[in-house]
Amino acid sequence: TQSTWGAQVVRMMQPQMQSKGIEVTTVIDPQLHDVVVMGDANRLKQVITNFLSNAYKFTPHGGTVRLHISCPHPQLQNERHIVVKSSVTPLPLPLNPKILIRTAVIDSGSGIAPEDRDRIFHPWSQIRAGEQQAGQGSGLGLALCKDFVEVGHGGTIDFTSSVGSGSTFY
């Protein structure tokens, strides 16, 4: 399940976050504990890892990062599968391809200025390059995540942010 992938990524990054004094929490919608997500698990983990890695880079010492995995659609109550479109394996039927999972990473970091919003998902683009990242990153992570989520799986990737208060990537 996606909740398992999310927990694996958080466990992997926990020591790094703790070394910076960042409190990391995971909130998973209880409806999702018994759900099978079909799709490319490695790519889904890559998106979650990128979101968490960026949160780590831009959250100050003592800040907070939260991974929140939810199902914003109530029709899940009668479903046992969620389909993530995959070109690798044919999907068994009947499954409901219209149910979505929302994976969000919420941080208390520096936030993103409104004038930088349009560049955030462009390849090779870094906002305030080097200022807070200490030279980390290439500016490709979010562009790759956007391609995977939107082109590869028909989903949506976006964010909300407030300068000085942090960001939410979903």
Side-chain angles (χ1 to χ4, degrees), residues 7-163:
Q8 287 173 352
V9 174
V10 168
R11 276 193 304 275
M12 179 185 73
M13 294 194 68
Q14 193 97 31
Q16 187 177 16
M17 297 277 193
Q18 287 176 339
S19 74
K20 196 173 171 183
I22 296 173
E23 179 186 348
V24 184
T25 57
T26 303
V27 178
I28 300 169
D29 187 328
Q31 294 184 83
L32 296 176
H33 287 291
D34 196 22
V35 169
V36 176
V37 178
M38 303 187 77
D40 188 334
N42 289 328
R43 296 289 183 222
L44 292 171
K45 282 195 271 188
Q46 182 180 356
V47 171
I48 294 170
T49 300
N50 185 269
F51 285 179
L52 287 169
S53 176
N54 285 343
Y56 168 78
K57 285 188 258 186
F58 293 102
T59 299
H61 183 81
T64 59
V65 172
R66 179 168 43 117
L67 172 64
H68 187 206
I69 301 174
S70 61
C71 182
H73 301 284
Q75 73 267 35
L76 178 63
Q77 293 173 346
N78 297 321
E79 298 292 334
R80 298 286 33 108
H81 295 82
I82 293 178
V83 175
V84 177
K85 189 173 91 179
S86 172
S87 60
V88 180
T89 324
L91 301 173
L93 296 175
L95 298 176
N96 186 345
K98 297 182 185 203
I99 296 175
L100 303 175
I101 291 178
R102 184 172 196 247
T103 301
V105 172
I106 302 108
D107 67 54
S108 63
S110 57
I112 299 163
E115 60 269 18
D116 293 327
R117 180 171 184 75
D118 291 340
R119 296 183 350 187
I120 203 82
F121 293 109
H122 289 197
W124 309 109
S125 179
Q126 291 184 315
I127 307 305
R128 299 184 317 263
E131 184 179 314
Q132 292 181 316
Q133 308 181 91
Q136 298 177 13
S138 63
L140 283 177
L142 288 173
L144 291 171
C145 289
K146 185 173 181 71
D147 184 64
F148 168 69
V149 170
E150 294 186 354
V151 177
H153 282 74
T156 302
I157 190 169
D158 205 354
F159 72 98
T160 59
S161 189
S162 178
V163 174

